[in-house]
Amino acid sequence: MPELISNSTIVLRTVGERTTDLCYNLLSEQVIENNIFIINETPFSKAVKKTFEIGLENNLRWTIAVDADILIRRQAIKKLIASA
């Protein structure tokens, strides 16, 4: 298993997608689980605001928002951070 990312807050936004659990599991293979937060906020503007609030509270270098219908590939978070 690759080393888990610890410098990033991941906010997983769900509005009841069937893929929420799978998305969470894929994220938890890449990021420390304590840094993954699930929100269920509508409208989208509230979700964006909540994402920033969580990111600021968690006080890590990166805050990444992921919609629950996105199924990420292996190393996706690491590659995203490297690109940023």
Side-chain angles (χ1 to χ4, degrees):
M1 179 174 203
E3 184 178 335
L4 294 175
I5 295 169
S6 62
N7 68 345
S8 300
T9 300
I10 306 295
V11 180
L12 175 59
R13 178 182 173 263
T14 183
V15 287
E17 289 91 345
R18 300 179 308 183
T19 53
T20 300
D21 290 340
L22 178 56
C23 182
Y24 180 89
N25 291 337
L26 292 169
L27 288 166
S28 68
E29 291 175 359
Q30 298 181 43
V31 179
I32 293 174
E33 282 191 72
N34 288 344
N35 294 349
I36 303 172
F37 299 84
I38 299 175
I39 62 171
N40 185 337
E41 298 282 339
T42 56
F44 184 72
S45 59
K46 278 188 172 182
V48 171
K49 183 176 187 266
K50 184 70 175 176
T51 297
F52 285 121
E53 290 170 350
I54 291 169
L56 289 169
E57 288 172 13
N58 214 33
N59 198 32
L60 296 175
R61 182 174 176 124
W62 303 102
T63 299
I64 301 169
V66 179
D67 277 349
D69 58 357
I70 302 296
L71 303 178
I72 63 170
R73 302 172 102 180
R74 288 189 178 137
Q75 303 286 319
I77 302 299
K78 183 177 182 178
K79 290 178 182 177
L80 177 66
I81 291 169
S83 293

